[in-house]
Amino acid sequence: MSAILGKKLGMTQIFREDGEVVPVTVVEAGPCPVTAIRKPDRDGYSAIQLAFDEVKESRISKAEAGHLAKADAKPMRVVVEFRDAEIAGNGDGDDEDGEVTLGQEVTVADFEAGQKVKVSGISIGKGFQGTIKRHNFGRGPVSHGSHNVRAPGSIGASAWPARVFKGMKLPGQLGNKRATQLGLEIADIDADRNLLMIKGSVPGSKNSIVEIRTHG
């Protein structure tokens, strides 16, 4: 599995040579320096830690700055670990077997058009919503004086158990939580501008941070 961090810029469309129109989400991905390498014999699990989104040093804590300095990385806003990630060696001091090294940069050049990816991010928040919008409930009748138009209806509690069970589909907060979209495909890559064009939509609002992993 290859992985990279990026910023969702928005959606557009590209045209294939045969005239096909492909809707894509444009993600500014990387370059992401490797800031830590987790190994099973030392840490109990295998993972690669990547950083993204350069900021002023005053915007992060001294502990964060010190951690990034160990990898000769610039101050970065976001640090994420990817378990069981495989990143190809870039020939810059790597071992012959392509082992990842601290400070190595991951870029969009490590990906290929046509690769299957999954994208994780914080979904767009829609505030407090009712059951029709949140859970796709059907509405009640609107004729003969019915007042049960968009109400959730009976929720099952009576004299026993005289309470509402946990986990029932009721009104509440919609969105603004981690979501992962599977089955996406890289439609095109612009290595000069660090852009990935991913076919379809991905979770998150504009300028939000997303995690991109290959799969399948």
Side-chain angles (χ1 to χ4, degrees):
M1 180 191 74
S2 298
I4 196 170
L5 292 167
K7 179 186 295 185
K8 177 179 176 180
L9 300 183
M11 292 195 70
T12 184
Q13 57 188 14
I14 60 177
F15 294 85
R16 305 286 195 190
E17 292 183 357
D18 59 0
E20 179 189 3
V21 181
V22 181
V24 296
T25 300
V26 182
V27 178
E28 181 184 355
C32 298
V34 176
T35 53
I37 302 172
R38 308 303 184 193
K39 298 183 178 180
D41 55 347
R42 183 188 63 198
D43 304 297
Y45 64 100
S46 175
I48 294 174
Q49 187 184 91
L50 301 180
F52 179 69
D53 196 11
E54 184 178 347
V55 294
K56 295 180 181 178
E57 189 170 350
S58 60
R59 295 291 183 180
I60 61 177
S61 67
K62 290 185 178 180
E64 291 169 332
H67 174 69
L68 294 170
K70 293 179 181 178
D72 293 328
K74 298 178 181 178
M76 301 280 185
R77 187 191 306 275
V78 182
V79 176
V80 177
E81 282 190 1
F82 295 89
R83 293 206 175 201
D84 301 319
E86 296 178 1
I87 299 173
N90 59 6
D92 184 15
D94 293 336
D95 295 337
E96 293 181 358
D97 59 358
E99 183 179 352
V100 180
T101 58
L102 202 64
Q104 174 184 334
E105 284 194 339
V106 181
T107 67
V108 296
D110 297 322
F111 295 80
E112 298 176 357
Q115 273 186 317
K116 294 293 185 180
V117 295
K118 57 182 179 181
V119 180
S120 301
I122 303 299
S123 62
I124 297 175
K126 296 178 173 62
F128 190 97
Q129 298 295 335
T131 54
I132 291 180
K133 185 176 180 70
R134 192 183 187 208
H135 300 297
N136 298 316
F137 278 20
R139 70 175 191 175
V142 295
S143 61
H144 298 288
S146 173
H147 292 185
N148 183 22
V149 179
R150 295 180 66 92
S154 173
I155 54 177
S158 184
W160 186 90
R163 63 185 176 87
V164 178
F165 288 110
K166 290 182 179 180
M168 294 197 67
K169 293 182 178 180
L170 297 173
Q173 167 70 34
L174 178 62
N176 194 32
K177 65 179 181 180
R178 183 180 173 86
T180 300
Q181 180 65 49
L182 305 176
L184 299 174
E185 178 183 328
I186 297 178
D188 198 6
I189 296 175
D190 187 342
D192 295 332
R193 295 188 291 174
N194 297 318
L195 299 180
L196 285 178
M197 270 69 82
I198 301 175
K199 185 177 180 180
S201 61
V202 305
S205 56
K206 290 183 180 180
N207 297 320
S208 63
I209 301 298
V210 294
E211 305 167 11
I212 303 170
R213 302 171 173 84
T214 58
H215 80 109

